[in-house]
Amino acid sequence: MSWLTWRQFRVPALVGVAALALLTAYVVHLGLDVRDAEDAYRAQCAGRSDCPRLAQLAVDYENTSLYLAALLAPVPGLLGMFWGAPLVARELEAGTQRLVWNQSVTRRRWLAVKLTVVGLAAMAVTGVAAALVTWAMSPVDRFADNRFSTVLFGARNLAPVAYAVFAVVLGVLIGLVVRRTVPAMAVTALVFVVVQFLVPNLVRPHLLPAEHVTLPMTASAINQARGLGGITGAPVVKGLTLPDAWITDVSELRTRDGTALDRAIFDRCFTDPPRTGAAEGPFGDTATCLADHDLHVDVAYQPVGRYWSVQWLESGCYLLLAGLLAAVAFRRVQRRPS
């Protein structure tokens, strides 16, 4: 049964190996280039242990790191779409599963072998790709303050492997339900994208209890933010940062007694602030006007030291969900008429 599954799967597997070989060649070259740049910056510091020039490494390779992560991010979904979804749907569509089921092989063993062979292959391909990307960008990650960003977090270390397992099992279950290859592939891609959007935004920030801090919103602090105001016109500050922390939630601007800033005051400062002539920064007189009201925000954050804990917890959630989907698939394949 394992040999038959491998013969049916060998063409997609060879395509995956070829794509992995191309990625390996590029990533190894990139990783060596990053290390050459790191050595060059260290040489400029004349052997000092604290080399401020190394911070420039994160700036130089920021876009490259994001592009590389964006290249790896869809891999688990593609494996679920092209490896997982057709695995069972193609057999059900053509009726070829009856040949196996009428022999000595049970339905559950048939499904278990298919899931094992393709699941392990997906783990191997994604694991190698994630390990290469993590190795190549590790010098950059040491000096960049964005390890928890949605794109980078999902392209490093353990998480991509768990995503791949989930995607393949999801594709197999959807193929078992839909029983048509192309619709199963489309539904798998859609569901995986939705899950990948929901988890970083709704689940990951709450995997561990957040730490909390109050930040005074001085004119300088406001000018360091990336934006002011929400879509609904709420008095919010966007894009605040904390050293060595991932900010998961920021309250509205609050006055000294803890109440939310009146929107009329916010709108007035935003659209028609008093002209001081001395304001500096991207928000200028608006920042000065808001700071005059003695404002602060309450911030929830995860310390960067929890990175590996979050990696393990999120990976565990995906693997648990994959296990539940596999259990549903085994139950369905046993009960479903051929």
Side-chain angles (χ1 to χ4, degrees):
M1 185 62 207
S2 299
W3 175 247
L4 175 61
T5 300
W6 166 247
R7 285 184 60 84
Q8 293 175 319
F9 178 63
R10 66 184 184 277
V11 173
L14 290 174
V15 172
V17 170
L20 183 60
L22 293 174
L23 178 66
T24 299
Y26 168 69
V27 173
V28 169
H29 172 76
L30 176 63
L32 295 175
D33 184 61
V34 170
R35 281 154 178 79
D36 288 341
E38 182 183 17
D39 292 341
Y41 282 128
R42 288 189 185 280
Q44 296 177 18
C45 293
R48 289 173 49 192
S49 58
D50 56 334
C51 182
R53 290 287 296 161
L54 287 173
Q56 184 62 32
L57 194 68
V59 177
D60 293 344
Y61 288 93
E62 179 181 10
N63 289 335
T64 302
S65 181
L66 290 173
Y67 294 150
L68 191 58
L71 180 66
L72 179 59
V75 169
L78 291 174
L79 294 179
M81 181 180 177
F82 288 100
W83 288 9
L87 190 66
V88 171
R90 183 173 51 232
E91 299 241 31
L92 297 178
E93 193 172 21
T96 54
Q97 86 283 1
R98 296 188 183 93
L99 178 63
V100 178
W101 291 355
N102 287 328
Q103 308 301 318
S104 60
V105 178
T106 65
R107 296 184 181 192
R108 287 185 175 178
R109 182 186 170 196
W110 173 79
L111 181 60
V113 171
K114 284 182 170 293
L115 275 174
T116 301
V117 171
V118 179
L120 290 176
M123 291 175 67
V125 169
T126 312
V128 172
L132 286 168
V133 171
T134 302
W135 167 81
M137 291 290 103
S138 58
V140 176
D141 291 340
R142 282 198 298 269
F143 302 102
D145 193 22
N146 57 354
R147 299 186 74 190
F148 278 101
S149 73
T150 301
V151 177
L152 296 184
F153 186 91
R156 301 284 195 274
N157 301 302
L158 304 172
V161 179
Y163 300 164
V165 174
F166 166 74
V168 168
V169 177
L170 174 69
V172 169
L173 177 59
I174 290 176
L176 190 60
V177 173
V178 176
R179 303 170 68 88
R180 294 291 184 271
T181 303
V182 174
M185 294 170 66
V187 174
T188 299
L190 176 61
V191 173
F192 184 76
V193 169
V194 170
V195 172
Q196 286 291 82
F197 173 79
L198 294 177
V199 170
N201 292 284
L202 299 181
V203 178
R204 187 182 300 162
H206 306 291
L207 288 173
L208 291 171
E211 300 288 339
H212 297 271
V213 68
T214 297
L215 298 180
M217 285 293 99
T218 62
S220 175
I222 293 172
N223 279 316
Q224 291 175 12
R226 288 200 301 266
L228 280 175
I231 297 176
T232 61
V236 296
V237 180
K238 301 176 183 177
L240 294 177
T241 59
L242 280 175
D244 299 324
W246 169 40
I247 293 180
T248 59
D249 186 56
V250 179
S251 70
E252 294 185 356
L253 289 166
R254 302 186 184 279
T255 59
R256 179 182 295 181
D257 60 4
T259 60
L261 178 66
D262 186 86
R263 290 196 179 189
I265 296 176
F266 179 79
D267 291 341
R268 185 165 60 251
C269 285
F270 192 83
T271 59
D272 189 26
R275 307 300 173 182
T276 64
E280 298 180 357
F283 298 110
D285 289 321
T286 294
T288 302
C289 177
L290 291 171
D292 288 342
H293 290 85
D294 193 15
L295 303 176
H296 68 272
V297 291
D298 297 322
V299 174
Y301 70 95
Q302 295 287 353
V304 72
R306 295 179 176 179
Y307 173 81
W308 275 106
S309 297
V310 177
Q311 275 271 333
W312 280 107
L313 286 170
E314 184 168 317
S315 299
C317 289
Y318 271 92
L319 293 176
L320 177 60
L321 187 55
L324 293 174
L325 294 179
V328 174
F330 281 116
R331 181 178 178 84
R332 185 174 181 85
V333 76
Q334 185 67 25
R335 295 170 62 91
R336 180 83 181 186
S338 59

